[in-house]
Structure formats: C-alpha cells, structure tokens
Amino acid sequence: MAARPLENYSRLCIHTITNKPWTLEQCIENYSRSGIGGVTVWRDALADRVIRKAGEEIRAAGLEIVSLCRGGFFPSREKAKREKAVEENRTMVDEAAELGAPLIVLVCGAEPGLPLEEARDQIRDGIARVLPHAESRGVRLAVEPLHPMYADSRSAINTLAQANDLCDRLASPMLGVAVDVYHLWWDPALRSQLERAGKAGRLFAFHISDWRTPTEDLLLDRGLMGEGCIPIREIRGWVEETGFRGYNEVEIFSTRLWQSDQHAFLESIKSAYLQHS
Amino acid sequence: MAARPLENYSRLCIHTITNKPWTLEQCIENYSRSGIGGVTVWRDALADRVIRKAGEEIRAAGLEIVSLCRGGFFPSREKAKREKAVEENRTMVDEAAELGAPLIVLVCGAEPGLPLEEARDQIRDGIARVLPHAESRGVRLAVEPLHPMYADSRSAINTLAQANDLCDRLASPMLGVAVDVYHLWWDPALRSQLERAGKAGRLFAFHISDWRTPTEDLLLDRGLMGEGCIPIREIRGWVEETGFRGYNEVEIFSTRLWQSDQHAFLESIKSAYLQHS
C-alpha cells in the first residue's frame, strides 16, 4: 500500500467560518488554489446569494460541498419558538438540497433553566419532525454532541453516547452523528462510542481543531491543530478504524486567528493538518 | 415531622475562598455571627498561621471544620514532580489532622498534552501512595470530579462515574467523592452515579454554586445559587435521597463577587441558600 503523499489536501475540508473575514467567493478561490478537497458552508456565507448558483460555483472550483452548518436549536419553553425552529430546519433542508450539500450539522440547542431532560425530549421531537422532509430531499442530518460547557444554552446533547442513543431512538438511515474533537476529546468513552457509531453506519462527519491552555473564551478561543492538547491524530485513527473515509473538517472559532492575515492562516492550517492530524 | 425552620444555617458551610478578600479570622467571625454551621478551609487561608491554633479558634467560634481544600495535582511527565506531589499531599494530611479537618478534597490534576489515560493512571498511583498515611492519621480523602473544561490542566477525572470507578479500584473506606453541582450538573448519569456513590458509603461532600449564562471566564465566573441554570435543589434532593446528611458547601470563585462588599455578599449567600438550594 502506497504511503499517503506528504502534501495531499484531498481529504481536508475547511468550514467557511474558520476564515470568517473572507467572503464565500474568497474561500472558494483560496481553498481551490490550495488543492483542498472540501468545504463546509456556514449559512451566513450564503446570505444575499442565489444558493443554487453558489453550489455550482463551489463545484466548478473543484471543491466538494461536505455539509451545511448549522441547523438545530430545537428546545424552548415556548411552543411557538419550537414550531419556528422546526420550520427553520425544514427550510434549511431545502437550502442544503439547492446548494447540493448532502448533510446538515445539528447543534441541537438548550435554553438556560429549561431542564435538560425536557430539552432532550424536545430535541428528539424536533428532529423527528424534520426527518421526513430531510429524507424526501435526500439530505442527511448529523447530531453534533457539544462540550458540556455549552449545556446551558447551546446543546443538551453533550456526549457521543447521548447522540448515539438519540439516533437509536429515531432509527433513520438519514440521521447520524458529527464528531468534533474539541467537544469530545476528554470523554473516556469516546473510542467505544466511535465504534458504536461506526457499526451503526452513522458516523457522518469529523471536525478538528485544538484545545488551548489556558482557554480564554468559552466560544471564540479554539486553537489550530497542534496549538493545544487534543490527541487529534489518535482520535482520527479511531475514527478511521470504523471505516470512515470522509473529510477532516477544520472548524475553528477564534477571535485571535480571525484578526490575523487569512492567507497566512490558511497556510498554517494546511501545515498543521499535515503535521498534527 | 417538623418543617425545617426557615432561617436555619446549621447545614450551610462556606469555603473560605468564597470570601477570598477576607482573612481566616474575618471568615470565622462573620460566619459564626450568622449561625452558619461549617467552614471549609482553603490552604492559603492558613499561611503564616499555627494550624492547630487556627483549628481551635474555628471550633471555639462554634463552626465545624468540614474539609481542607485542596490536595491532588498528581500527574506529571516528570517523575520528580509526581514524587513531590505525593509528599505535598502527605504533608497536607498532617495539616488536616492538626487543623482537625476530617477530609481533604482532591483536585486530581492534569498536564496539557499528557495523555488522559496516563494522567488517570498517575492519579490512581498517587492516591494509593497517600492513602496509608491518610488512614493512619484518620483523615479521609475525596476525589472531586471536575468539569470536562478542566481536563487539559486541572483534572483528568471529569465525571462521577470515573470517580466512582477510581474509588472501586482503590477500595478504602477512607476514600470517597466530593460532588460539586458546578462540575456535574450537565451529566445525564449524575443521578444514577450519586446512587452508586451513596450505596458505597463514599459520598463525602456536596458543593454548590451556579452556572451563569454567559459564563465569561472558565475559572472565575461562577454564580451564586439562583444566578444560573443549575437545578441545585433537585440535585440536592438526589444527594439527600442517598442518606447524605452532610453540609451544603458554598464554593464560589468569582472575580465579580470578590470585588463586591463581602458583608453584603455573605447576606446574599444566606438568602440564596434558603431560596435556591
């Protein structure tokens, strides 16, 4: 078996939010020029654009559209808000179909003070109501468990075990999980739950970044691979042992990195991808 | 059965760090005057003091010494540092015995980039080496699982299940767990793991505070009970269902609250304790 060529970015995907200062067009041009294989499109990057045309331009540049980020945010004490979330997610399924994105990543949601058990029930109900539309449009949904530090306001699904349980309950081939090392690296059950997800054929996406010490902001201080303590290569190994052959998606929210020169940052991403993932 | 009197602080304990601007003497005076039942002494509050005398003064003021905070920090890539940590913890056992504190809370430790599995092995080894001395001095040790956001540098033990597993392995009646709602509230297994700890007779301490939205600092932005989203009363109910009759210990690290008037803050703690825990 031939070794993987040293400079091969064909399984590298970058989330547009990672280069937040760039427009979608700048992302397309610069990723394409670097030979990067895929892009995950954040919804804000599509604002004021004809979605179908954006999808055509991305593919014409030689990039595969890996997923559309991000749906979800189902729980609320107010029924009207829950209904609105379901509608919004159905709209997003249509947008993904127009864009040509095969997958939507779900940040499931939470509301401060709403009991987590209720939030989890509402998440399950919300996904169940979006799934038939997703199935009819051929768009898959991936539950992304979020780090427990987001259990107050972003997601009541905080471990891969919970995401697996949720998928078992809803039992659709169009529903799976998105695994992000930033959220899950600390979990002693990570490897066994990856195996479980792999066996169920539901490991739909793999996101990478790093955990910095100290982390100065709960949301916007992620590190580039190699800047922190996450054993990214080891976790990637576990992911690939399950048979996963999808992209390694770089998803970094960082005020610090967004303030830096984005061309230099892209070069750092490419280099870090080869060295640390 | 008589209802609990409304203003009863006999099961309330405050960690000296909660009123960080105060000296140990100010804590003793003000807690005692309020009829608060217990105090957990942070080691820094004992600096430059004769420990035995400090213990006598606390008891003379009518306060029970609940625990000494905090030991642990066992893992390191360097053997010399691990040896030093064991020595330091043995010294702390002697200090607890002198003070008259029946319990030491362990923040087990982690080192950025040291694999979590290795850190966990080193934690187990470290505790095993301190236990005989703790047993001989009659001082109990409590493993405090820390929130996963501290897995990089403060503790590789991040769930109550892990703490229970560790206690099972070491199997000493002097080793148990300290449960802090701030670290564990998000865990779907919390209730069942509390039952497990209760059945094993190892639920040694219960700490309370709240999780604010947004949380602006990973370490120093805890909330007073009622300021956040943790279902403290519900969790306290689960704790007491196990037969736990110990203190409700208020442990709050907060730059914001430390900057406020500490007398007013103490009144807020008393009021929040009655209303929200």
Side-chain angles (χ1 to χ4, degrees):
Chain A
M1 196 172 75
R4 190 168 57 189
L6 253 183
E7 299 215 1
N8 182 337
Y9 304 112
S10 65
R11 304 319 291 167
L12 170 60
C13 164
I14 302 182
H15 283 227
T16 56
I17 192 81
T18 299
N19 293 108
K20 193 181 177 189
W22 278 346
T23 62
L24 178 62
E25 290 71 23
Q26 287 175 300
C27 289
I28 297 172
E29 181 186 342
N30 291 302
Y31 299 166
S32 170
R33 186 186 296 153
S34 288
I36 289 165
V39 61
T40 275
V41 179
W42 275 55
R43 211 180 176 198
D44 65 292
L46 295 173
D48 304 321
R49 282 173 178 79
V50 178
I51 293 176
R52 186 173 302 274
K53 192 161 159 286
E56 286 164 5
E57 286 166 3
I58 294 170
R59 280 182 294 276
L63 292 162
E64 183 169 340
I65 301 174
V66 177
S67 66
L68 179 62
C69 272
R70 54 194 188 175
F73 294 101
F74 294 106
S76 173
R77 284 180 195 77
E78 294 173 42
K79 188 164 191 291
K81 285 195 182 169
R82 297 199 299 275
E83 292 295 319
K84 200 176 163 210
V86 168
E87 276 318 302
E88 196 70 10
N89 277 276
R90 286 177 180 153
T91 299
M92 216 174 143
V93 166
D94 293 329
E95 291 175 3
E98 276 181 63
L99 184 67
L103 178 69
I104 292 173
V105 175
L106 300 178
V107 169
C108 292
E111 197 178 70
L114 176 69
L116 291 174
E117 282 309 314
E118 284 180 45
R120 288 162 189 155
D121 288 346
Q122 292 177 1
I123 288 165
R124 197 178 59 240
D125 289 349
I127 295 175
R129 292 178 61 198
V130 175
L131 260 177
H133 189 55
E135 288 162 355
S136 76
R137 298 298 309 255
V139 173
R140 301 198 293 178
L141 305 178
V143 172
E144 180 174 35
L146 256 56
H147 194 285
M149 72 184 171
Y150 302 125
D152 59 335
S153 58
R154 285 191 171 76
S155 183
I157 306 294
N158 306 105
T159 64
L160 186 50
Q162 284 177 283
N164 271 324
D165 289 347
L166 180 54
C167 290
D168 279 350
R169 278 286 294 271
L170 293 173
S172 161
M174 300 299 277
L175 181 66
V177 298
V179 167
D180 187 319
V181 298
Y182 191 79
H183 297 302
L184 303 178
W185 72 279
W186 60 272
D187 185 354
L190 178 55
R191 186 175 188 175
S192 61
Q193 291 295 327
L194 282 169
E195 287 170 7
R196 178 181 165 196
K199 277 183 192 151
R202 67 166 68 115
L203 187 36
F204 288 175
F206 180 54
H207 298 177
I208 56 177
S209 65
D210 215 335
W211 182 283
R212 281 154 52 82
T213 303
T215 289
E216 288 170 5
D217 186 278
L218 273 79
L219 192 60
L220 303 179
D221 193 27
R222 293 194 187 194
L224 181 63
M225 298 80 75
E227 285 186 335
C229 61
I230 301 178
I232 302 169
R233 187 164 288 182
E234 183 178 30
I235 297 173
R236 179 178 168 178
W238 299 341
V239 165
E240 294 183 351
E241 274 172 20
T242 72
F244 180 83
R245 292 294 174 268
Y247 284 88
N248 301 286
E249 304 182 41
V250 177
E251 182 189 35
I252 301 174
F253 317 137
S254 166
T255 305
R256 172 182 59 94
L257 294 167
W258 288 335
Q259 281 166 352
S260 73
D261 177 85
Q262 296 300 292
H263 291 282
F265 178 33
L266 179 57
E267 291 308 310
S268 304
I269 291 172
K270 288 158 60 183
S271 154
Y273 169 70
L274 297 178
Q275 281 182 53
H276 301 290
S277 73
Chain B
M1 197 173 76
R4 190 168 58 189
L6 254 181
E7 300 214 359
N8 183 337
Y9 305 112
S10 65
R11 304 320 288 169
L12 170 60
C13 164
I14 302 183
H15 284 227
T16 55
I17 192 81
T18 299
N19 293 108
K20 192 180 177 190
W22 278 346
T23 62
L24 177 62
E25 291 71 21
Q26 286 175 299
C27 288
I28 297 172
E29 180 186 343
N30 291 301
Y31 299 166
S32 170
R33 187 187 297 153
S34 288
I36 289 165
V39 61
T40 275
V41 179
W42 274 55
R43 212 179 175 198
D44 66 291
L46 294 173
D48 306 319
R49 283 174 177 78
V50 179
I51 293 176
R52 187 174 302 275
K53 191 161 161 283
E56 285 164 5
E57 285 167 3
I58 294 169
R59 281 183 293 277
L63 292 162
E64 184 169 339
I65 300 175
V66 178
S67 66
L68 179 61
C69 271
R70 54 195 189 175
F73 295 101
F74 295 106
S76 173
R77 283 180 195 76
E78 295 173 42
K79 187 164 190 292
K81 284 194 183 169
R82 297 199 299 275
E83 292 297 320
K84 199 175 163 211
V86 167
E87 277 318 302
E88 195 70 9
N89 277 275
R90 285 176 180 151
T91 300
M92 215 175 144
V93 166
D94 292 330
E95 292 175 4
E98 276 181 63
L99 184 66
L103 178 70
I104 293 173
V105 175
L106 301 178
V107 169
C108 293
E111 197 178 69
L114 176 68
L116 291 174
E117 282 309 315
E118 284 180 46
R120 289 163 190 153
D121 288 346
Q122 293 178 0
I123 289 166
R124 196 180 57 241
D125 289 350
I127 295 174
R129 292 178 61 199
V130 175
L131 260 176
H133 189 56
E135 288 162 355
S136 77
R137 300 296 310 256
V139 173
R140 301 196 294 178
L141 305 178
V143 172
E144 180 174 34
L146 255 55
H147 194 284
M149 71 184 173
Y150 302 124
D152 58 335
S153 58
R154 285 194 171 76
S155 183
I157 306 294
N158 306 104
T159 64
L160 187 51
Q162 283 177 282
N164 271 323
D165 289 347
L166 180 54
C167 291
D168 279 350
R169 277 287 292 272
L170 293 172
S172 162
M174 299 300 276
L175 181 66
V177 298
V179 168
D180 186 319
V181 299
Y182 192 79
H183 297 301
L184 304 178
W185 72 278
W186 60 272
D187 186 353
L190 178 55
R191 187 175 186 174
S192 61
Q193 291 295 328
L194 282 170
E195 287 170 6
R196 179 181 164 196
K199 277 182 192 152
R202 66 167 68 114
L203 186 38
F204 289 175
F206 179 54
H207 299 177
I208 57 177
S209 65
D210 215 335
W211 182 283
R212 281 154 52 81
T213 305
T215 289
E216 288 170 5
D217 186 277
L218 273 79
L219 192 61
L220 303 179
D221 193 26
R222 293 193 186 193
L224 180 64
M225 298 80 76
E227 285 186 336
C229 62
I230 301 178
I232 302 169
R233 186 163 289 180
E234 182 177 30
I235 297 173
R236 178 178 170 178
W238 298 342
V239 165
E240 294 183 350
E241 274 171 20
T242 72
F244 180 83
R245 293 293 175 268
Y247 285 87
N248 301 287
E249 304 182 41
V250 177
E251 182 190 35
I252 301 174
F253 317 137
S254 165
T255 306
R256 172 182 58 96
L257 294 167
W258 288 336
Q259 282 167 350
S260 72
D261 177 84
Q262 295 300 292
H263 291 282
F265 177 34
L266 179 57
E267 291 307 310
S268 303
I269 291 171
K270 290 158 59 183
S271 154
Y273 169 70
L274 297 178
Q275 280 181 54
H276 301 290
S277 72

